[in-house]
């Protein structure tokens, strides 16, 4: 499955059906009179958040959505049938933005959430509704109200409790595979992760959703590397785990680069609680880990964990601290089905 987190679509609700102009012509009825019925209401455009979707890829191939017109009125005072509403299903975490991306028009954070985005046009009045004591044979009618239309952007922000950040090749994929049910691709080269990845972590009878996003490099806010576009997927996270490669040239510099890119992106990411973890402890001794930990604290980290995604060392202490930032809930209270089917790694991702 290809992963797509942005799509531009066109929406148009259905116009109302026109009212009818009709007169009774029945045997044994001396005086006829108008009996044209009203037109039916046009279909609404409705967004609905559903379970089981985690990409907007369907909107790459279907970009125009138009609801049907209401049926016209008929004689014998028959009102036209209203058109069916057009329901557009989107993943939980989807936002509907204005065409210029300046305004958030709808935000879907719960399964089953529905929003009537565009209302269909009202049906037009038939000539029977114009009958008065002085106008016994009206011929006027209404054509039916027009539908609404709009171009909008859909933007998906995956729902996760905890986010993983760090430079490319900091060991994020190995870490998420070690602590969760994710099956992220692992490789000894930069940008192994090309799209966000979700995993469910179960720890001490509790569980939470962990999101791994592609690595950040200096200048990501200006488009360097994959850029910072995937940072939107961790905006809703309660806490971030910042992985720093202990085998890197300068762990303190790696910490600074990522912190500056988070600040450049904005959206409050730089203010979120951060747990700094020196990863790949299996490649160094404890003395080196302690020395680098002091450097990271001097560089601004509040507390540093030394961990290894390969051996599992130090992970339990890190996860214990993560739980302190999350609301108390047991594994039976969380619906993990929403994130069991995570998007496959793919070189195809949406253009901006």
């Amino acid at each position: 499955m290809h992963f797509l987190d942005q799509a531009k679509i066109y929406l148009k609700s259905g116009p109302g059906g026109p009212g009818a102009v009709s007169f009774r012509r029945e045997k044994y009825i001396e005086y006829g009179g108008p009996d044209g019925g009203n037109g039916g209401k046009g279909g609404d455009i409705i967004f609905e958040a559903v379970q089981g979707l985690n990409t907007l890829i369907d909107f790459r191939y279907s970009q125009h959505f138009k609801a049907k017109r209401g049926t016209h009125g008929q004689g014998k005072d028959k009102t036209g049938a209203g058109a069916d509403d057009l329901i557009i299903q989107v993943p939980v975490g989807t936002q509907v933005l204005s065409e210029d991306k300046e305004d958030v028009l709808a935000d879907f954070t719960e399964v089953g959430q529905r929003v009537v985005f565009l209302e269909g046009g009202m049906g037009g009045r038939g000539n029977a509704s114009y009958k008065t004591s002085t106008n016994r044979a009206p011929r006027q009618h209404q054509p039916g109200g027009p539908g609404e239309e709009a171009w909008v952007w859909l933007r998906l922000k995956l729902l996760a409790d905890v986010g993983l950040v760090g430079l490319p090749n900091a060991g994020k994929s190995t870490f998420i595979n070690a602590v969760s049910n994710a099956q992220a691709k692992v490789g000894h080269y930069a940008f192994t992760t090309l799209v966000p990845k979700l995993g469910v972590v179960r720890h001490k009878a509790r569980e939470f959703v962990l999101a791994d996003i592609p690595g950040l490099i200096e200048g990501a806010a200006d488009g360097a590397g994959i850029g910072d576009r995937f940072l939107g997927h961790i905006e809703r996270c309660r806490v971030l785990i910042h992985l720093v490669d202990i085998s890197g040239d300068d762990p303190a510099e790696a910490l600074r680069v990522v912190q500056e890119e988070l600040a450049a992106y904005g959206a409050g990411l730089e203010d979120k609680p951060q747990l700094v973890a020196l990863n790949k402890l299996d490649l160094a001794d404890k003395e080196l880990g302690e020395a680098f930990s002091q450097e990271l604290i001097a560089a601004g980290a509040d507390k540093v964990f030394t961990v290894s995604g390969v051996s599992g060392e130090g992970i339990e202490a890190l996860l214990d601290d993560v739980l302190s930032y999350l609301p108390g809930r047991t594994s039976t209270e969380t619906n993990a089905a929403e994130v069991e089917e995570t998007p496959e790694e793919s070189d195809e991702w949406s253009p901006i």
Side-chain angles (χ1 to χ4, degrees):
M1 178 187 298
H2 296 307
F3 182 77
L4 188 77
D5 64 349
Q6 292 190 39
K8 187 178 183 181
I9 61 175
Y10 172 78
L11 308 172
K12 184 176 182 179
S13 60
V21 176
S22 174
F23 293 91
R24 297 180 64 177
R25 293 290 185 270
E26 299 179 44
K27 191 176 183 180
Y28 304 122
I29 297 179
E30 183 176 0
Y31 300 103
D35 66 348
N38 300 331
K41 181 181 179 297
D44 297 337
I45 297 290
I46 300 176
F47 283 106
E48 180 182 18
V50 298
Q51 184 174 319
L53 294 179
N54 46 37
T55 175
L56 299 176
I57 189 63
D58 291 341
F59 297 100
R60 168 164 289 182
Y61 309 108
S62 297
Q63 298 173 337
H64 293 76
F65 298 86
K66 298 179 181 180
K68 293 184 178 180
R69 172 190 293 271
T71 305
H72 58 77
Q74 299 182 38
K76 298 184 179 180
D77 290 313
K78 292 182 179 179
T79 299
D84 293 333
D85 297 330
L86 179 57
I87 300 176
I88 302 174
Q89 296 182 334
V90 296
V92 178
T94 300
Q95 292 181 326
V96 182
L97 309 179
S98 57
E99 186 175 6
D100 58 7
K101 295 186 177 182
E102 294 296 325
D103 301 313
V104 178
L105 306 177
D107 193 1
F108 298 89
T109 58
E110 298 179 358
V111 174
Q113 183 179 349
R114 274 192 174 202
V115 172
V116 178
F117 192 76
L118 298 180
E119 293 189 354
M122 297 301 297
R125 294 169 58 187
N127 70 329
S129 66
Y130 287 96
K131 179 181 177 181
T132 66
S133 60
T134 57
N135 186 9
R136 307 301 295 271
R139 293 184 175 275
Q140 63 262 50
H141 71 289
Q142 286 183 325
E148 302 175 336
E149 58 183 327
W151 282 95
V152 297
W153 280 92
L154 301 182
R155 179 173 65 188
L156 176 61
K157 292 185 178 180
L158 297 177
L159 298 183
D161 302 298
V162 183
L164 272 180
V165 296
L167 293 180
N169 216 28
K172 300 190 301 300
S173 296
T174 301
F175 181 86
I176 194 173
N177 287 346
V179 302
S180 75
N181 63 346
Q183 297 180 350
K185 182 179 179 181
V186 177
H188 296 289
Y189 53 87
F191 300 115
T192 308
T193 300
L194 296 177
V195 299
K197 193 76 174 177
L198 292 181
V200 178
V201 181
R202 296 177 175 87
H203 183 64
K204 293 187 175 180
R206 295 170 66 184
E207 69 180 26
F208 58 87
V209 180
L210 178 66
D212 175 24
I213 64 171
L216 299 170
I217 63 174
E218 190 164 16
D222 299 321
I226 295 181
D228 64 358
R229 58 176 303 236
F230 290 120
L231 284 175
H233 294 288
I234 60 173
E235 285 184 23
R236 306 180 194 264
C237 294
R238 298 176 182 273
V239 60
L240 303 179
I241 297 177
H242 185 166
L243 290 186
V244 179
D245 186 357
I246 198 173
S247 62
D249 295 335
D250 190 346
E253 176 65 12
L255 177 70
R256 181 196 65 79
V257 169
V258 174
Q259 297 285 36
E260 289 186 355
E261 295 306 320
L262 293 178
Y265 178 83
L269 291 185
E270 70 277 13
D271 299 324
K272 287 186 180 294
Q274 254 186 65
L275 304 179
V276 178
L278 265 173
N279 194 24
K280 303 184 182 180
L281 187 59
D282 54 291
L283 300 180
D285 54 37
K286 290 187 177 181
E287 292 184 0
L288 183 60
E290 292 176 358
F292 279 144
S293 295
Q294 294 303 317
E295 286 188 20
L296 293 177
I297 291 175
D302 295 329
K303 184 179 180 181
V304 178
F305 297 85
T306 52
V307 301
S308 170
V310 174
S311 67
E313 184 177 354
I315 287 181
E316 184 169 357
L318 175 59
L319 295 182
D320 287 344
D321 212 35
V322 168
L323 293 182
S324 66
Y325 292 92
L326 306 180
R329 58 185 177 184
T330 63
S331 58
T332 58
E333 296 173 325
T334 303
N335 186 4
E338 298 179 21
V339 293
E340 289 291 349
E341 298 181 3
T342 53
E344 296 293 334
E345 296 282 351
S346 168
D347 292 335
E348 183 176 352
W349 47 282
S350 64
I352 297 180

